[in-house]
Amino acid sequence: MGEAMMIRTIVEAIHSSPTQAVVYLSGGASVALGWLMSVPGASNTLLEAVVPYSRISMIQLLGRVPSQHCSQAMASEMALLAYNRAVKLSKPGFPVIGVGFTGALATSPPKRGDHRFFLSMRASDRIWETSVTLTKNLRSREEEDKVASRVLIQAMAKACQVSGTFDSGLTESEVPDESETQFSEEQELEQLIQGQLCFKVYPFSKEAYGSDKDRKIILPGSFNPLHDGHLKLLEVAMSVRGGGYPCFELSAVNADKPPLSVAQIKDRVKQFEAAGKTVIVSNQPYFYKKAELFPGSSFVIGADTAARLVNPKYYEGSYKRMLEILGDCKRTGCVFLVGGRNVDGVFQVLEDIDIPEEIRDMFVSIPAEKFRMDISSTELRKKQGGVDKRKRENAKEDVEQSSK
């Protein structure tokens, strides 16, 4: 089999895998993009490809001025940015990788330093890093780019768990320096709390239906505990929207409380595993940030939350600021599905709330006859606390009786 055919076979296998990718390249491996995009099925894999070539382009990508353009740290930073972008763009529940590449290849006039490149691939639970120093004056710029591209395609194949290989074109003396670092679930959640990862999906259910299966129907909450009301509400919201990908969303970071601990997050996630329902753990407590994280999604909320969303009090008293922020949410394609809710003994529905005309079409009512949010996690905890207290009192009485 010829080299071109071998590369094509590997790329076809990558496109047949469920893994989706965002690729950030600078200074080389440009031929790899051609290979990935010229083989049918590219849209299964490639979510986005960015080539930040100029200095200002790289500064805008990173959000800072880099101290060194061509380094392993830079490739890994690009890979993490690409990974976070990939989880936002990917189909719900699909595995993703972020690819970062930076190279200093042959130039005209010839450069004084080494010809080298650095590659990094980030998945949710690991990072692969590769660095190669090429022999100077052995290849043209185009040939060096092809070698770097082959190494990149082979690394993507490995990350996509695709078997098969081809000659990278490296000589015996050009030995890649390769490493793989795995992360435990605890480390991943720690990275999320610290803001390195934007969210983590636990795809405990595979259910998605209707015409728009990529659209997320999201029920946010603290789920302390998860109860039947939550499950029923998301079910009803799905029928109101005519289908989509149903998921719950738990923010590890709270607006007015300390962040949840890793142990607390794991405990709450276990509830969804037992129920067989997908949950996303994020680090964004605010809806305008959630809208950025999950563009085009429908958020399921109670009427009390809807009332707070349009109350200028929560926007430093500025009506204009409230309209700006919710207008930005609207532009992301975000919709709020509003369920009726008992608030201080009064049943409140969307129609009771004065929604500004500019953003009114973002809010869709869940009819009260379909669902009433009369149950809350707080009340359940209070009841459970009462049950536990009675159990302790009964146990104490039993001990006292037996000791008499």
Side-chain angles (χ1 to χ4, degrees):
M1 193 188 292
E3 182 207 8
M5 198 62 211
M6 287 172 75
I7 291 171
R8 183 185 175 89
T9 302
I10 294 284
V11 172
E12 283 175 348
I14 289 171
H15 291 341
S16 297
S17 81
T19 303
Q20 300 189 294
V22 166
V23 180
Y24 289 165
L25 307 177
S26 182
S30 59
V31 178
L33 282 185
W35 291 336
L36 286 168
M37 295 172 76
S38 63
V39 174
S43 60
N44 293 339
T45 304
L46 205 57
L47 297 164
E48 183 176 84
V50 178
V51 184
Y53 228 70
S54 73
R55 181 173 177 272
I56 295 197
S57 176
M58 183 61 82
I59 290 169
Q60 288 192 339
L61 178 73
L62 301 175
R64 65 176 185 83
V65 178
S67 55
Q68 195 180 0
H69 273 269
C70 187
S71 67
Q72 190 67 68
M74 171 69 82
S76 296
E77 189 173 348
M78 291 167 74
L80 182 59
L81 287 167
Y83 172 79
N84 280 322
R85 181 78 175 142
V87 290
K88 291 176 191 175
L89 300 178
S90 63
K91 291 178 182 175
F94 276 60
V96 302
I97 53 170
V99 181
F101 175 96
T102 179
L105 306 183
T107 57
S108 179
K111 61 162 52 79
R112 290 178 188 171
D114 288 336
H115 295 192
R116 55 189 180 158
F117 62 84
F118 299 91
L119 174 64
S120 185
M121 305 230 172
R122 173 72 203 232
S124 69
D125 64 346
R126 70 194 63 207
I127 186 165
W128 295 270
E129 294 176 318
T130 304
S131 65
V132 176
T133 300
L134 298 168
T135 307
K136 285 179 84 167
N137 307 318
L138 180 64
R139 306 175 182 88
S140 66
R141 165 70 186 221
E142 187 182 1
E143 288 166 342
E144 286 190 349
D145 193 290
K146 276 191 175 176
V147 168
S149 295
R150 288 190 197 109
V151 172
L152 187 146
I153 293 294
Q154 284 185 332
M156 280 189 73
K158 183 179 177 183
C160 295
Q161 298 179 336
V162 165
S163 57
T165 186
F166 53 85
D167 182 15
S168 65
L170 295 171
T171 66
E172 284 184 15
S173 61
E174 297 169 328
V175 180
D177 184 0
E178 297 177 307
S179 70
E180 180 180 335
T181 307
Q182 293 192 28
F183 304 112
S184 64
E185 184 186 0
E186 288 78 8
Q187 287 172 313
E188 277 184 71
L189 292 173
E190 203 59 64
Q191 289 170 7
L192 186 137
I193 293 166
Q194 291 166 4
Q196 289 171 270
L197 301 182
C198 60
F199 61 84
K200 177 173 172 58
V201 182
Y202 288 88
F204 295 131
S205 65
K206 301 295 181 192
E207 59 193 64
Y209 58 82
S211 58
D212 193 356
K213 292 181 183 179
D214 288 354
R215 178 184 59 201
K216 295 184 183 80
I217 313 292
I218 300 173
L219 174 53
S222 56
F223 308 111
N224 186 25
L226 172 70
H227 55 68
D228 286 343
H230 293 132
L231 302 173
K232 175 69 175 163
L233 176 57
L234 189 54
E235 215 174 274
V236 170
M238 283 284 285
S239 69
V240 168
R241 288 305 276 163
Y245 184 87
C247 44
F248 296 89
E249 185 249 348
L250 167 69
S251 178
V253 178
N254 292 296
D256 47 10
K257 297 177 192 169
L260 297 176
S261 68
V262 168
Q264 284 175 315
I265 296 169
K266 287 181 73 176
D267 277 348
R268 293 192 196 179
V269 165
K270 277 177 192 166
Q271 301 175 103
F272 296 94
E273 187 174 17
K277 301 294 178 186
T278 292
V279 62
I280 299 172
V281 182
S282 83
N283 53 18
Q284 294 297 350
Y286 300 108
F287 274 101
Y288 72 97
K289 289 289 187 184
K290 293 183 197 290
E292 285 175 24
L293 272 188
F294 311 111
S297 296
S298 299
F299 293 95
V300 188
I301 59 175
D304 52 337
T305 302
R308 285 196 298 274
L309 271 177
V310 296
N311 188 340
K313 170 184 155 185
Y314 297 98
Y315 303 86
E316 298 172 351
S318 169
Y319 183 85
K320 184 184 173 192
R321 181 82 181 122
M322 179 264 290
L323 278 184
E324 278 175 5
I325 286 176
L326 290 179
D328 286 344
C329 291
K330 183 178 175 179
R331 277 184 284 279
T332 69
C334 165
V335 170
F336 295 106
L337 303 177
V338 184
R341 187 86 189 253
N342 252 329
V343 182
D344 299 326
V346 178
F347 189 71
Q348 189 178 29
V349 293
L350 176 63
E351 290 70 23
D352 298 326
I353 304 164
D354 186 17
I355 308 282
E357 195 175 333
E358 300 93 318
I359 54 172
R360 196 167 293 159
D361 56 352
M362 282 175 72
F363 293 82
V364 177
S365 182
I366 295 174
E369 62 271 17
K370 285 197 171 188
F371 188 84
R372 288 174 60 108
M373 293 172 71
D374 289 344
I375 186 169
S376 80
S377 294
T378 307
E379 287 167 11
L380 279 179
R381 281 200 307 277
K382 281 179 184 171
K383 284 178 185 172
Q384 185 60 45
V387 170
D388 290 345
K389 188 179 177 185
R390 282 196 298 276
K391 280 181 182 173
R392 287 195 299 272
E393 286 170 353
N394 290 341
K396 187 179 174 186
E397 285 173 17
D398 289 344
V399 168
E400 286 171 353
Q401 289 293 331
S402 61
S403 62
K404 285 178 182 176

